[in-house]
């Protein structure tokens, strides 16, 4: 029997595919390459910071390294990865559809991503960028580096993000199988749907702000330049109006993965489906009115500081609701402790701690000390690496059998996960203390008294890198040599597992008839 | 498993859709989402304009005076006419009146080109006076930062709008060719419907730009 | 206890009067955060172990037969109490933090003002008694000090970890920061906003001195020379002042040599620009119909962007001094205007309709101008006051 992997062969059948599953794999390769490139920049940063002085490179070079790390990681990996890989592969299957609403647009979205990535990489290669991924004016419009090209490249990648989001929203609205009501969809679909709303609404504003920066840098447009009457702080408002919702684009899909992993491996329904589904929407909407917390010391009025502060705390309540629900889902379950569950356990500590430090920095008086220091760097890495990266890895392992028809080696999976989680903790916990002690971020050289914490952080980063490389190694091995997987090795009740492993081109052998919920573990799997 | 009747002859039906009506509905929904994202693109610029207008109220009011009101007004009329013709073309296509559709789309295209023509004329007048964007601003009558910011915003926003207009013209042109070759017909008028929607958005954005840059003198 | 927690969390010494209160909130927040995360992780681990597959009879009862979207698993009251409790905790943090934030941003009225300029990649300071310093900020202990700051080029951020304070320093506007240092000592200043190659070395030091030592040190400081070439054309000065001038006297020199006094008088006589006599802190009408108080911030803004808040009745002919004057020079001019606040000004004095060579006067009948109020010049009405 043929599957989507073997139905047609040849490079053209892959590069010109309209099958959402093949497009997902194209994205998987591209985003994995971005992760590795961003990781290389991270290791360069950490090795430079072993010593307090400019040991390995000049300061301007270091400034380029952290900027490249941020731009590549945020725009080429974190924002697209879970939606374009797992959203693409599984969202249609989870609603019983044979594909997304606009398959050709889906392929276009991949090539637009590639075009944007090429432009960004070109800017990194020819001159680099040294402004930080936040492109603050007027430094970004006067920097001697390739700001205009990089900003334009990010703009193009943003177009890809909008098209993906648009496709998913229409798919969920129009392609659900007969009988599949909204409140019967797997929770991962809710997460991708909420994320897609943010993608469509927020990304255009970023695109426009970066276009203004690019034109200012290239041709002196000057809309944010004080010597031409502009206000540099207005750029910050426009930039963060997107970039704060962007962090929810990065975490909400990971939360969707958590819901699937927890329910499957506890063999239990979520303790409150509604709470998880609606809190995703709550995060999406409230997340749009919290951007000012990046600007507490930038010159905003006191009233604004107050309002943004309380709203930023309220959005954390939705995440707390989810965490609470997931914890109770474990109760009275029948738990199998596999690699995805180890990642989930890491998530529960790292995301909760990271999230609560988010509420801490939303406390305005404390943020005056913490903002622009390593405390904030630690906070967002706890969420992005401790939250999103762990669940990205969990998703790879969880869905590996369905995607490739093979099983990964469980023992290596646990070893890799332990390496990633422990390495992460040792990398970023010292950075909270560095921030407390007063070390600002984006510093190529630092006072000698901060050295021991930096050395500890670099040691942790090395362990984290090794954990990731271990993952890469055995996953590639499993792709070709792993034992064949059965249709539903985890016994999940979610609908994608009803398809053959690996799925055929149109996902199901016959149109899906929905007769039970996706978490009905009290029912046998088949109708 | 199920004995579904073969799909009806006519427009190509994607395998993911159960019938043409669903496909049309999805296409419309997708188009509205795309229009929402385009609106957000301009929304940030409207926000910028508002912030700077609050800061430089007098200079902005003065600078609006120096824009050519007759060109702005002519362009509004042209665009409203073109929106009317494209909407009428949709109606005619649904009725199967192919020739009418072709005439109406031709008028729409001419209107669009006319708009761009007047815009070029206007830019020419500005260049002659030394009104350039950003650091090239050299308008002696209105020195000062407020006017400089005003005209920079003016160029960027009308320029971005003109780019969207060119995109819209390309889309309408392509659809006109499809109608001429009988590929878009009454059986599935969706491409024209979507093109018309986009055209209406481009028109609507101008309806906001017009008062911002031509009417609000204080 | 405070000292133990401070050292454990690697917080710097609490050198400012507000640092300790901020740290108390810090301890509350961070300990709760750590406890919360540990609690969630511990509970999850407990459940994972207790409800693991094959844990033994009775541990894994048959799954709940109710439809999955029915509420279950835990009492709604428990869930609401936990969420409510969390929200109450957050609101408490917000209230305490916001009250502290207001204290952080509002300086006491008796603060001593020091002018700060950040530029790539150094900090320079100008003092009210005259004199300036680069890289070192001298402050007295036991008195509130207010820093008025601007940037010459890009956004920087003035960060004093020992004080727990930070404010961005933005070109084209003035920001402020205030603190009171408890005891004599030295404290580092870092730049905390990415500003280019020298960002990590754009540092300074606060040297806090007791009163007598402070006065002695300040007296010995010479005024700052212009630090290097400025963007655009620099305003050249005839000669360096030999003896330290008061800031106001320096302001008079700067105003003369920068051309300010070509349009602004200091004795109340009407001229092209508003007279500086009695200007400081007066309420003045603006061209758009509103009113503003001519305080430090307004005067500084007017030098950066004169047309933005134009005094009603005057032509928009003043050029911007953005990038042409250093912050110490700006501060000096403001001090000079301050010194003229008691000079009598004629309230109804109209500006002279003197056409400025090289600039075309605006044709602007001012909206809302009542009869008898100053009108602007129209071409052709050469000569006398209205």
């Amino acid at each position: 029997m043929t599957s989507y992997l073997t139905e047609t062969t040849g490079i053209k059948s892959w590069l010109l595919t309209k099958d959402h599953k093949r497009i997902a794999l194209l994205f998987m390769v591209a985003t994995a390459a971005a992760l590795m490139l961003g990781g290389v920049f991270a290791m360069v940063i950490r090795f430079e910071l072993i010593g307090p002085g400019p040991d390995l490179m000049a300061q301007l070079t270091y400034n380029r390294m952290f900027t490249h790390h941020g731009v590549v990681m945020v725009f080429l990996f974190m924002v697209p990865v879970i939606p374009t890989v797992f959203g693409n592969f599984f969202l249609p299957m989870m609603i019983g559809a044979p594909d997304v609403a606009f398959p050709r647009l889906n392929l276009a979205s991949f090539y637009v991503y590639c075009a944007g990535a090429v432009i960004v990489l070109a800017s990194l290669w020819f001159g680099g960028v040294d402004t930080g991924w936040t492109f603050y004016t007027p430094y970004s419009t006067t920097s001697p580096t390739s700001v205009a090209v990089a900003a334009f490249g990010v703009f193009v990648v943003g177009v890809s993000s909008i098209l993906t989001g648009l496709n998913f929203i229409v798919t969920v609205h129009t392609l659900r199988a007969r009988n599949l009501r909204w409140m019967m969809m797997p929770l991962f679909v809710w997460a991708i749907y909420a994320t897609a709303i943010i993608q469509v609404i927020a990304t255009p504003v970023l695109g426009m702000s970066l276009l203004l920066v690019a034109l200012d840098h290239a041709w002196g447009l000057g809309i944010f330049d004080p010597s031409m009457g502009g206000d540099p702080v207005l750029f910050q408002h426009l930039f963060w109006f997107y970039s704060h919702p962007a962090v929810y684009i990065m975490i909400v899909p990971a939360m969707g993965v958590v819901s699937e992993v927890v329910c499957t491996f506890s063999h239990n329904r979520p303790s409150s489906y509604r709470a998880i589904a609606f809190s995703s929407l709550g995060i999406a909407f409230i997340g749009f009115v919290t951007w000012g917390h990046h600007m507490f010391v930038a010159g905003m009025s006191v009233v604004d500081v107050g309002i943004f502060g309380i709203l930023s705390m309220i959005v954390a309540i939705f995440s707390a609701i989810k965490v609470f629900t997931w914890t109770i889902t474990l109760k009275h379950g029948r738990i199998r402790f596999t690699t995805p569950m180890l990642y989930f356990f890491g998530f529960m500590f790292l995301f909760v701690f990271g999230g609560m430090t988010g509420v801490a920095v939303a406390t305005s008086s404390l943020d005056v000390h913490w903002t622009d220091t390593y405390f904030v760097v630690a906070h967002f890495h706890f969420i992005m690496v401790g939250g999103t990266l762990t669940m990205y890895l969990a998703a790879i392992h969880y869905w590996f059998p369905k995607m490739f028809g093979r099983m990964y080696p469980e023992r290596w999976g646990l070893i890799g996960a332990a390496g990633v989680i422990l390495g992460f903790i040792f990398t970023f916990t010292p950075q909270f203390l560095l921030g407390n002690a007063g070390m600002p971020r984006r510093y190529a050289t630092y006072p000698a008294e901060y050295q021991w914490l930096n050395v500890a952080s670099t040691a942790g980063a090395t362990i984290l890198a090794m954990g990731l490389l271990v993952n890469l190694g055995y996953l590639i091995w499993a792709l070709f040599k792993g034992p064949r997987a059965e249709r539903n090795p985890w016994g999940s009740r979610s609908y994608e597992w009803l398809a053959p492993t690996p799925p055929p081109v149109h996902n199901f052998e016959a149109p899906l008839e929905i007769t039970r919920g996706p978490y009905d573990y009290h029912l046998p799997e088949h109708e | 498993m199920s004995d579904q009747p073969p799909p009806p002859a006519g427009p190509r039906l994607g395998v993911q859709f159960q019938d043409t009506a669903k496909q049309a509905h999805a296409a419309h929904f997708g188009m509205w989402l795309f229009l929402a994202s385009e609106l957000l693109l301009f929304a940030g610029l409207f926000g910028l304009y508002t912030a700077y207008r609050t800061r430089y109220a007098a200079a902005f009011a003065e600078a609006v005076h120096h824009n050519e009101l007759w060109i702005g007004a002519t362009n509004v009329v042209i665009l409203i006419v073109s929106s009317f013709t494209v909407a009428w073309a949709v109606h005619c296509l649904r009725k199967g009146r192919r020739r009418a559709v072709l005439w109406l789309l031709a008028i729409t295209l001419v209107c669009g080109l006319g708009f761009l023509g007047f815009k070029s004329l206007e830019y020419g007048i500005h260049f002659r006076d030394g009104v350039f964007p950003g650091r090239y601003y050299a308008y002696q009558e209105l020195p000062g930062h407020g006017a400089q910011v005003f005209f920079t915003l003016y160029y960027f926003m009308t320029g971005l709008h003109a780019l969207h207009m060119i995109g819209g013209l390309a889309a309408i042109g392509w659809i006109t060719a499809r109608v001429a070759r009988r590929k878009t017909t009454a059986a599935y008028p969706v491409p024209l419907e979507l093109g018309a929607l986009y055209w209406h958005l481009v028109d609507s954005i101008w309806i906001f730009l017009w008062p911002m840059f031509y009417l609000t003198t204080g | 206890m405070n000292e133990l927690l401070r050292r454990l969390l690697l917080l710097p010494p609490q050198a400012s009067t507000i640092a300790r209160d901020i740290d108390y909130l810090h301890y509350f927040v961070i300990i709760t955060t750590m406890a919360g995360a540990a609690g969630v992780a511990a509970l999850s681990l407990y459940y994972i172990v207790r409800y693991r597959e094959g844990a033994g009879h009775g541990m894994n009862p048959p799954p709940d037969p109710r439809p999955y979207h029915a509420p279950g698993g835990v009492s709604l009251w428990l869930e609401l109490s936990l969420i409510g409790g969390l929200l109450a905790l957050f609101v408490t943090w917000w209230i305490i933090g916001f009250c502290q934030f207001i204290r952080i941003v509002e300086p006491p009225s008796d603060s001593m003002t020091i002018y700060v300029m950040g530029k790539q990649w150094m900090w320079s300071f100008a003092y009210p008694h005259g004199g300036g310093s680069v890289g070192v900020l001298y402050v007295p202990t036991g008195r509130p000090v207010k820093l008025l700051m601007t940037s010459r080029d890009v956004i920087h951020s003035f960060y004093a970890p020992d004080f727990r304070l930070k404010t961005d320093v933005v070109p084209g506007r003035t920001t402020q920061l205030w603190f009171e240092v408890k005891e004599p000592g030295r404290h580092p200043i870092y730049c905390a906003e990415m500003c280019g190659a020298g960002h990590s070395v754009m540092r300074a030091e606060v040297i806090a001195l007791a009163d007598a030592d402070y006065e002695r040190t300040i007296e010995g400081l010479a005024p700052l020379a212009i630090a290097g070439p400025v963007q655009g054309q620099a305003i050249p000065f005839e000669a360096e002042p030999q003896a330290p001038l008061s800031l106001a006297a320096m302001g008079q020199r700067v105003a003369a040599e920068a051309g300010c006094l070509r349009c602004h008088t200091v004795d109340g006589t009407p001229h092209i620009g508003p007279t500086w006599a009695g200007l400081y802190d007066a309420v003045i009408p603006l061209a758009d119909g509103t009113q503003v108080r001519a305080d430090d911030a307004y005067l500084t803004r007017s030098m950066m962007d004169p047309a933005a808040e134009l005094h009603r009745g005057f032509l928009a002919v003043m050029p911007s001094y953005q990038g042409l004057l250093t912050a110490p020079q700006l501060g000096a001019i403001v001090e000079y205007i301050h010194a003229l606040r008691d000079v009598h000004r004629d309230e109804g004095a109209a500006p002279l309709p003197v056409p400025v060579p090289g600039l075309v006067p605006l044709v602007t009948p001012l909206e809302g101008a009542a009869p008898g109020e100053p009108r602007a010049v129209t071409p052709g009405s050469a000569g006398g006051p209205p």
Side-chain angles (χ1 to χ4, degrees), chain A residues 59-60 63 66 130-132 134 136-139 142 181 183-185 226-227 229 231-233 236 267-275 296-303 305-307 309-310 313-314 316-317 320-321 323-325 327-328 330-337 341 344-345 348-349 352-353 356-357 359-360 362-373 375 433-447 449-450 452-453 516-522, chain C residues 8-12 21-23 25-26 29-30 32-34 36-38 40-45 47-54 59-75 78-79 82-83 86-91 93-94 96-102 104-106 120-121 153-155 157 159-173 175 177 188-203 231 304-305 320 322:
Chain A
Q59 288 159 8
L60 187 57
N63 294 351
F66 67 70
D130 71 337
T131 59
T134 49
Y136 273 19
T137 58
Y139 182 66
T142 54
R181 301 189 316 269
M183 300 300 274
M184 284 174 71
M185 300 191 303
S227 71
D231 183 358
V233 179
Q236 297 180 30
H267 212 71
N268 205 1
R269 73 156 67 91
S271 74
S272 172
Y273 177 96
R274 259 184 259 258
F296 282 164
V297 298
M300 280 200 311
S301 77
V302 174
V303 173
V305 168
I307 294 175
I310 190 63
M313 295 188 179
I314 288 173
I317 297 286
I321 291 173
V323 168
F324 181 72
T325 307
T327 309
I328 302 302
L330 294 169
K331 196 173 181 200
H332 298 305
R334 205 177 80 205
I335 300 175
R336 290 176 58 180
F337 198 73
M341 277 305 262
F344 160 73
F345 178 66
M348 286 302 259
F349 175 71
V352 173
F353 187 62
M356 300 264 313
T357 57
V359 180
T363 309
S364 38
S365 61
L366 300 180
D367 192 51
V368 173
H369 179 62
W370 278 329
T371 189
D372 281 317
T373 66
F375 192 93
L433 296 171
L434 274 172
N436 277 353
M439 179 171 170
R441 55 189 290 199
R442 300 173 168 167
Y443 261 33
T445 66
Y446 54 82
E449 60 259 31
Y450 297 138
W452 67 280
L453 287 166
R516 58 164 175 81
Y519 303 109
D520 280 350
Y521 286 92
H522 62 288
Chain C
L8 218 55
L9 292 168
L10 297 193
L11 287 164
D21 290 340
I22 292 176
D23 281 359
L25 181 60
H26 181 142
V29 168
I30 218 71
T32 316
T33 298
M34 291 199 282
V40 166
L43 186 62
S44 310
L45 185 61
Y47 284 152
I48 287 174
V49 168
R50 180 173 172 177
Y51 295 103
R52 69 189 183 283
E53 190 171 34
M59 270 303 114
N60 306 123
D64 197 334
R66 286 171 298 169
Y68 71 96
H69 56 266
V74 74
S75 119
L78 178 62
E79 184 155 1
L82 277 164
I83 298 299
L86 200 59
L87 189 61
L89 184 68
F90 290 170
V91 169
W93 291 351
W94 175 66
I96 302 175
F98 190 54
C99 292
Q100 287 182 351
F101 187 83
I102 293 177
I104 288 174
V105 299
E106 282 177 8
Q120 287 165 324
W121 290 287
D153 37 40
V154 298
I155 299 183
S157 190
Y159 177 36
D162 290 2
F163 304 162
R164 310 289 186 275
L165 298 175
K166 178 189 292 115
T167 300
D168 281 5
V169 175
V170 184
R173 67 158 87 169
T175 53
L177 182 79
I189 302 288
Y190 301 119
C191 173
E193 187 59 61
M194 176 59 196
C195 56
H199 170 57
S200 357
V201 296
M202 183 170 164
R203 303 187 201 165
Q231 285 173 341
M304 299 290 105
D305 188 0
S320 164
Q322 166 89 30

Side-chain angles (χ1 to χ4, degrees), chain A residues 101 103 173 220-221 223 227 229 231, chain B residues 12 16 29 52 56 134-135 145:
Chain A
H173 275 270
L221 190 71
I223 204 78
S227 71
D231 183 358
Chain B
R12 184 169 50 176
Q16 67 273 25
F29 192 179
Y52 280 129
Y56 297 118
R135 70 159 181 252
H145 285 160

Side-chain angles (χ1 to χ4, degrees), chain C residues 202-254:
Chain C
M202 183 170 164
R203 303 187 201 165
E205 196 177 34
V206 174
I207 298 186
L209 299 165
D211 277 332
D213 296 326
Y214 183 72
E215 295 302 329
R216 213 170 347 111
T217 312
I218 290 298
E219 292 303 314
L221 291 176
L224 286 173
I226 300 178
V230 301
Q231 285 173 341
Q233 292 165 308
I235 301 196
F237 277 60
E238 300 294 324
E240 296 299 321
Q242 296 308 315
L245 295 174
S246 73
L247 205 59
M250 170 119 128
Q252 185 182 34
R253 274 202 68 220
V254 174

